Amino acid sequence: MNSRFTNIVLAFILPLLLVGQRSDSLLVELNKREGNERVPVLHQLVVSEWLNYPNLAMTYGEEALSLSEQTNDKPNISKSLRLIAGVYYYMGDYEVSLDFNTRALNLAKEIGDSVLINNGYNNIGLIYYNLGSYQTALEYLLRAKQLKLRLGEVYGLPTTLNNIGLVFERVGQFAEARIHFNEALQASLKAKYQDQEVYSLNNIGNTYLREEQYDVAQSYFREASALAIKIQNINWGAVSLRGLGEIMLHHGRYDSALYYFQKSLDASRGIEDKKGISESFYLLAKLALRQQDFTGALGHLDNSHQLALQLKLRQQLLDNLKLYALIYQQMNDDAQVILYQSRYSGLRDSLFQDVVVRNLSLIPLKLKEEEDRLKMSLQQAEIDKKNATNRLYIIILLIVLPLLIFLALLVRKNIIANRVLRERNDELLRTQKLLIMSEKMASLGTLASGIGHEINNPLNFIMNGAKTLQERIEKRLPGQSDEFAPFFEAIDEGVSRASKVVRSLSHFSKSGMEMTDRCDVNEIINNCLVILNNRIRNRAEVIKNFTTEAVRVKGDEGKLHQAFMNILSNAEQAIEHDGIIRISTEVDDDKVRISIKDNGVGIAPENLEKISDPFFTTKPAGIGVGLGLFITYSIVDEHHGTIKVSSKPNVETEFIVSLPLHTEA
Amino acid sequence: MRDLSNITILYVDDEDINLFLFKSSFEPKYEVITARSGKEGLEKLEGYHDKIIVVISDMNMPMMNGIEFIEEARKTYKNIAYFILTGYDYNQEIDKALKTNVIQKFFTKPFVSAEIEAAVEAAFRSVRGA
């Protein structure tokens, strides 16, 4: 009883609110402004008037558009176009509205304004919904929803969510529809957008109504109508009233139903909402039919149908034709029933055809969009791939680079190791040859010493035999010894010479003894000359200029013999005939200076620096190995001495050996 | 001071000619006992060590060389001068023997009798404390 009373009061009050005062302050503001500055105010005016006074809204919209176009203010042109599209929408002219919305959307895309693009998607979706292209509608609306969520545009979200719900409701998926309406309700509460709150409540109510859950539906419609009054939203208030009326109609409370429908009609009339008027007449017709008032029903229905035709309200037209058939059926006018039923199916078919045609015409557009999307995703994939490849390259580089560096280091190390190895190998080869050489010398020494022993004993026989013999002769034939003397002297001389040679040879075997020996340089040179005597004698004269005292150096006697032997032997070999070899020794401070000069072929200037190199030789292969002077240099170096060489080929070649003197400790 | 003719020398050499010539060279001045090997030399020392003042040995001999013989002899007969007379020249073994006083002197063949005489007489003087 109580709720019914409230409803009646509500229905009574609503029309009184018809003359809304909301736009007054905006008009005052508009009058204060001039030119372009009017545009934002004009836009607000369009929104505030389009539901109630579409014609007025249209004039505002057109002014805003023309002002924006004069200054080529693209964002405002787009917005004006969209608002005009909205006005057409509320006037039921969906095709024109679609055209304006599309223009607005394209411009929005051109300037890249996300908010405008998103509004475009929403509106176009809504129009397709009204045109019966639900699939397309849903696509646009979902796109709008996505964009809004992404942009965080809380204010526009409830509208889009409600529209999505409407699509589901229209195709009979009430539960799904309700989910979206409820989301819309939550979003409106969050955004404190009460118009959308009323709209959401009405929509939810409608879903319950369709599912014949009348009590639940009623509570939603009541809540909606109460809020509508509060915020003076006549349009949605009228919708609530029609919902309540339908519930009354179901319960068979015809008076109440009539009341609600009548008030709803008044409200819609008051705001020139032709869609609402048409719906109200339709419901009145339904009520009349229930009361078996066929004339009244047809009258109301005619009114509804006229407006529906005018606004091309497709769903309303279909509903109306169905109702006509039902009325005539109850009037038993079969001819009319058949007529309206065929009109119904004809319209349905043509609508279906429209939808198909529209969808077909959308195919290239959608294909292009799809293609663009695909291209973009391909490009993205390409970029991703490139990035991945780059990352891979970097990773590979990061892995490979250290490896390469490591390898390079390894190779470098290897090269160095190789070089060291080669050097060592060369060194080893040199040492080996030297070893062979010194082995030769050593065996020569051993041989010499062996032979020496075997020769010295017979020499002993001769010398001491002769000596004893000489003594005995003197004893037995006193005074006659003079006669024998020259023979004994010859024997003495022979033995002495042979003994000298043997002794000289044996000096070469003395290598390996401690370096503490005191070696007499003069004696060493003499020993060498004894051995070379045979070769020198016929070709050269040896002129010696030695110190009177023995010159002693600390060293290895055998090695020093080798060293001087090599120099003297070279001097000898440089001379072909009539040569002179000058050898002098002199003490110079703490050194002994030994100079060996010859007037042989000499050493070419380019070879002077090489003579100390191992294996350097100017002799034919097989004759000289080129170790002689190298050994000499090594030995002198071991004895802390130096060698200086100068040569004027065929004039004079001089070797100067300096050795530290042995100082008595 | 004792008479030089009382000097007795032991000469060891494996060659008979050397023994003969040595004996011939020094017999007029000294008494010369000879031995043909180190082993025989030790036997002679056992018999005549009271008389022998100087031992002169060849270096290169079979079984026992000069230094080995002298090292052995020295163990028992310390108051004798030991010399080496060798066909070889100076070598490391002789060098070591000289440094460790196993031998007092060494001479090379062919020998010069005057050198040996000087060394023998010097040894005689020092050994007999003349």
Side-chain angles (χ1 to χ4, degrees):
Chain A
M1 220 29 203
N2 197 12
S3 67
R4 194 177 156 195
F5 176 74
T6 317
N7 291 343
I8 292 166
V9 171
L10 189 77
F12 190 72
I13 292 167
L14 259 176
L16 301 177
L17 299 169
L18 276 177
V19 194
Q21 302 297 309
R22 283 199 285 181
S23 60
D24 285 0
S25 58
L26 283 173
L27 283 169
V28 173
E29 183 65 32
L30 184 67
N31 287 330
K32 284 184 194 165
R33 298 191 178 198
E34 292 211 344
N36 245 14
E37 291 191 345
R38 288 166 67 85
V39 175
V41 187
L42 287 167
H43 285 164
Q44 286 184 53
L45 280 166
V46 176
V47 176
S48 101
E49 304 297 346
W50 60 8
L51 275 176
N52 300 343
Y53 307 103
N55 290 325
L56 189 61
M58 186 64 84
T59 58
Y60 291 138
E62 277 167 353
E63 193 192 335
L65 179 62
S66 113
L67 282 171
S68 306
E69 275 174 346
Q70 278 168 28
T71 52
N72 199 26
D73 180 358
K74 281 181 181 172
N76 274 330
I77 296 172
S78 175
K79 198 172 177 185
S80 303
L81 286 169
R82 182 168 59 76
L83 291 175
I84 292 168
V87 179
Y88 278 112
Y89 172 80
Y90 286 116
M91 288 165 72
D93 208 336
Y94 301 128
E95 302 284 355
V96 183
S97 178
L98 185 61
D99 183 46
F100 272 91
N101 265 319
T102 309
R103 280 166 63 192
L105 179 63
N106 287 339
L107 200 59
K109 279 180 177 171
E110 194 184 309
I111 58 174
D113 186 324
S114 333
V115 177
L116 293 178
I117 292 170
N118 146 33
N119 285 330
Y121 284 145
N122 181 67
N123 295 349
I124 292 170
L126 191 61
I127 293 165
Y128 278 115
Y129 157 76
N130 281 297
L131 287 168
S133 296
Y134 303 123
Q135 180 64 36
T136 311
L138 209 54
E139 282 171 19
Y140 275 96
L141 292 170
L142 286 173
R143 224 177 280 171
K145 178 188 169 186
Q146 241 172 351
L147 201 56
K148 279 174 185 175
L149 283 173
R150 209 169 68 206
L151 295 171
E153 200 201 291
V154 191
Y155 200 68
L157 190 60
T159 319
T160 301
L161 288 169
N162 270 319
N163 292 339
I164 293 168
L166 286 178
V167 177
F168 284 109
E169 190 199 21
R170 182 58 61 83
V171 296
Q173 293 185 29
F174 301 120
E176 183 69 31
R178 207 151 45 226
I179 289 169
H180 290 279
F181 292 144
N182 268 313
E183 270 184 38
L185 181 62
Q186 297 310 316
S188 349
L189 286 168
K190 204 170 158 190
K192 292 182 180 153
Y193 189 4
Q194 290 182 314
D195 286 305
Q196 284 297 322
E197 196 184 331
V198 180
Y199 190 30
S200 306
L201 290 168
N202 276 334
N203 286 332
I204 296 168
N206 261 324
T207 61
Y208 285 119
L209 188 62
R210 298 286 163 256
E211 287 179 340
E212 299 180 347
Q213 297 186 47
Y214 299 110
D215 292 344
V216 192
Q218 192 176 28
S219 70
Y220 274 99
F221 285 130
R222 271 201 203 131
E223 203 184 330
S225 60
L227 192 58
I229 290 163
K230 194 177 144 198
I231 63 168
Q232 304 180 10
N233 190 321
I234 298 155
N235 190 314
W236 301 144
V239 172
S240 307
L241 291 174
R242 287 197 282 275
L244 288 167
E246 283 197 77
I247 292 162
M248 294 302 125
L249 183 62
H250 167 76
H251 288 313
R253 283 151 58 176
Y254 302 132
D255 290 347
S256 293
L258 176 65
Y259 184 79
Y260 283 125
F261 293 150
Q262 196 59 57
K263 289 303 167 193
S264 144
L265 178 63
D266 292 345
S268 293
R269 269 182 173 153
I271 59 168
E272 292 179 44
D273 176 12
K274 288 174 189 165
K275 193 171 173 253
I277 296 166
S278 173
E279 263 182 55
S280 300
F281 274 122
Y282 168 77
L283 289 170
L284 284 167
K286 240 176 146 177
L287 175 64
L289 178 65
R290 196 67 73 81
Q291 289 170 318
Q292 299 292 309
D293 173 9
F294 300 125
T295 322
L298 283 171
H300 289 311
L301 199 50
D302 284 344
N303 286 336
S304 171
H305 207 58
Q306 200 184 337
L307 282 169
L309 281 168
Q310 196 184 325
L311 293 179
K312 297 171 194 149
L313 300 172
R314 287 151 185 80
Q315 193 57 43
Q316 193 62 58
L317 288 170
L318 285 172
D319 288 347
N320 288 350
L321 291 170
K322 231 153 97 179
L323 194 57
Y324 273 122
L326 201 63
I327 294 166
Y328 285 116
Q329 196 182 16
Q330 291 197 15
M331 288 166 73
N332 292 317
D333 189 341
D334 288 344
Q336 288 294 329
V337 171
I338 290 164
L339 175 72
Y340 279 102
Q341 271 179 347
S342 75
R343 274 191 189 171
Y344 170 77
S345 40
L347 179 62
R348 201 187 52 194
D349 289 353
S350 84
L351 285 180
F352 182 68
Q353 210 175 337
D354 279 359
V355 170
V356 169
V357 169
R358 195 171 301 115
N359 282 350
L360 277 175
S361 69
L362 279 173
I363 284 171
L365 213 77
K366 283 189 180 177
L367 277 176
K368 199 183 169 301
E369 266 184 32
E370 203 56 41
E371 206 177 299
D372 288 349
R373 246 205 303 272
L374 199 71
K375 217 186 270 169
M376 258 170 67
S377 67
L378 276 176
Q379 277 171 356
Q380 190 59 45
E382 187 74 17
I383 290 165
D384 287 350
K385 203 175 136 193
K386 241 181 219 166
N387 285 343
T389 315
N390 283 346
R391 262 199 302 278
L392 198 71
Y393 280 148
I394 289 168
I395 289 167
I396 289 172
L397 210 71
L398 282 177
I399 294 169
V400 167
L401 208 68
L403 268 175
L404 277 176
I405 292 168
F406 181 69
L407 226 85
L409 286 175
L410 218 69
V411 167
R412 214 173 84 94
K413 210 176 144 193
N414 213 17
I415 288 170
I416 292 168
N418 267 344
R419 201 165 54 215
V420 169
L421 216 64
R422 205 164 42 235
E423 278 166 10
R424 275 192 202 152
N425 200 30
D426 291 351
E427 181 78 31
L428 212 65
L429 213 71
R430 269 200 294 274
T431 315
Q432 200 183 24
K433 290 202 176 175
L434 271 178
L435 213 64
I436 292 168
M437 186 74 182
S438 59
E439 190 70 25
K440 266 190 202 165
M441 299 295 279
S443 47
L444 188 73
T446 311
L447 189 69
S449 120
I451 290 169
H453 180 258
E454 291 315 307
I455 292 173
N456 278 336
N457 271 318
L459 286 177
N460 196 41
F461 303 164
I462 297 165
M463 189 167 118
N464 287 298
K467 194 163 184 291
T468 313
L469 187 61
Q470 195 179 11
E471 281 167 12
R472 298 278 166 97
I473 288 170
E474 232 170 272
K475 241 183 219 170
R476 298 206 188 167
L477 303 167
Q480 292 177 39
S481 60
D482 285 354
E483 195 189 334
F484 302 103
F487 302 104
F488 288 113
E489 278 168 19
I491 291 170
D492 258 3
E493 173 66 20
V495 170
S496 150
R497 249 192 237 178
S499 167
K500 228 171 168 184
V501 170
V502 170
R503 194 152 290 131
S504 298
L505 263 176
S506 73
H507 284 290
F508 289 89
S509 66
K510 283 188 178 170
S511 212
M513 291 178 68
E514 287 175 42
M515 293 277 282
T516 49
D517 294 347
R518 286 170 295 160
C519 313
D520 183 344
V521 173
N522 294 342
E523 193 191 319
I524 288 169
I525 292 169
N526 277 331
N527 282 334
C528 293
L529 288 171
V530 167
I531 291 170
L532 288 170
N533 184 43
N534 184 45
R535 273 152 62 184
I536 295 175
R537 203 172 48 208
N538 296 326
R539 281 187 288 162
E541 186 190 348
V542 177
I543 300 168
K544 293 191 271 185
N545 184 16
F546 287 180
T547 52
T548 44
E549 299 282 312
V551 187
R552 297 199 184 277
V553 298
K554 196 167 142 187
D556 183 322
E557 208 188 334
K559 282 186 175 175
L560 286 173
H561 270 88
Q562 274 183 41
F564 286 106
M565 187 68 182
N566 286 329
I567 297 173
L568 288 167
S569 155
N570 274 356
E572 173 263 313
Q573 283 168 8
I575 292 164
E576 280 168 28
H577 50 82
D578 301 327
I580 298 169
I581 298 173
R582 287 172 200 276
I583 307 167
S584 68
T585 60
E586 58 180 37
V587 173
D588 180 8
D589 205 9
D590 57 347
K591 282 184 188 118
V592 55
R593 207 163 150 275
I594 306 111
S595 159
I596 299 166
K597 289 185 202 170
D598 69 76
N599 58 352
V601 289
I603 304 160
E606 67 267 24
N607 289 338
L608 262 182
E609 282 184 14
K610 295 187 216 159
I611 54 165
S612 63
D613 292 349
F615 311 110
F616 173 78
T617 180
T618 53
K619 294 171 195 164
I623 289 180
V625 281
L627 282 173
L629 283 177
F630 170 69
I631 290 169
T632 299
Y633 273 88
S634 307
I635 291 168
V636 171
D637 192 52
E638 262 175 62
H639 288 78
H640 310 291
T642 57
I643 299 180
K644 275 184 198 159
V645 189
S646 58
S647 181
K648 284 179 194 162
N650 295 314
V651 179
E652 190 181 76
T653 298
E654 184 181 22
F655 276 75
I656 301 170
V657 180
S658 278
L659 289 167
L661 274 174
H662 180 80
T663 46
E664 300 285 343
Chain B
M1 193 182 204
R2 289 177 66 172
D3 186 1
L4 284 177
S5 61
N6 285 338
I7 294 172
T8 305
I9 297 170
L10 172 62
Y11 179 61
V12 186
D13 199 310
D14 60 326
E15 282 209 57
D16 286 338
I17 302 176
N18 277 331
L19 292 175
F20 166 72
L21 285 171
F22 190 90
K23 213 174 157 95
S24 306
S25 292
F26 296 104
E27 203 72 282
K29 289 182 180 167
Y30 319 123
E31 188 178 340
V32 177
I33 299 168
T34 58
R36 293 180 62 203
S37 69
K39 190 169 167 273
E40 202 187 325
L42 288 171
E43 285 167 12
K44 291 277 163 73
L45 269 173
E46 205 179 338
Y48 304 101
H49 61 88
D50 290 337
K51 292 163 69 180
I52 296 168
I53 289 163
V54 173
V55 172
I56 298 173
S57 176
D58 182 27
M59 183 66 198
N60 197 32
M61 295 181 294
M63 307 296 286
M64 194 186 270
N65 75 19
I67 300 282
E68 284 162 354
F69 156 66
I70 290 169
E71 276 175 341
E72 195 59 38
R74 218 177 229 297
K75 284 177 189 168
T76 319
Y77 315 108
K78 295 187 168 66
N79 277 337
I80 295 175
Y82 295 92
F83 302 149
I84 285 283
L85 174 61
T86 176
Y88 285 115
D89 203 23
Y90 187 85
N91 68 22
Q92 269 176 294
E93 202 174 1
I94 293 168
D95 187 57
K96 194 185 158 201
L98 273 171
K99 279 176 182 160
T100 54
N101 284 320
V102 171
I103 58 170
Q104 275 72 55
K105 266 189 176 315
F106 91 100
F107 309 102
T108 54
K109 294 174 189 172
F111 64 82
V112 178
S113 45
E115 281 179 18
I116 293 176
E117 277 167 27
V120 168
E121 276 157 35
F124 172 75
R125 282 192 289 274
S126 73
V127 170
R128 296 301 171 193

